[in-house]
Amino acid sequence: VQLQASGGGLMQAGDSLRLSCVASEEMFRRYTIGWFRQAPGKEREFVALISWNGNNTIYADSVKGRFTISRDNAKLAAYLQMNSLKLEDTALYYCAAVGGKPADYASLRAEGRYRYWGQGTQVTVSS
């Protein structure tokens, strides 16, 4: 499946932004979707994930309470609503997908578990 991430931009601290991840195939409906980000000079890190049916969501501590992950399987899309943006949220944001139903969704915080990746969308937060 191909994933297309979009919605990034140049924002100010405190702003809100919604990223989208659109898939090319209906198999998307069976996949867990994860959002990851990579800041300049840093390794890629987990941001949030949502299970195939939306019943399970997990967030990195750094974004908990500010970001919300969601999905619309009818539209083959997943979203990352980002509120109260901070300078440290500046990064290239990727969406990724993996099939199957893990016994523990927390294990899907690891980027190595994901099979499909989008191209990334840049989010820059300035003061």
Side-chain angles (χ1 to χ4, degrees), residues 60-98:
D61 289 344
S62 59
V63 306
K64 201 171 296 183
R66 299 188 298 120
F67 291 11
T68 302
I69 190 170
S70 62
R71 67 189 299 159
D72 184 341
N73 284 343
K75 295 182 178 180
L76 305 183
Y79 308 99
L80 186 67
Q81 177 66 42
M82 305 186 295
N83 297 332
S84 302
L85 284 166
K86 301 178 179 180
L87 298 180
E88 52 263 43
D89 294 322
T90 294
L92 187 61
Y93 283 73
Y94 298 88
C95 61
V98 61

Side-chain angles (χ1 to χ4, degrees), residues 11-15 84-87 125-127:
M11 311 302 292
Q12 291 191 322
D15 283 350
S84 302
L85 284 166
K86 301 178 179 180
L87 298 180
V125 184
S126 67
S127 57

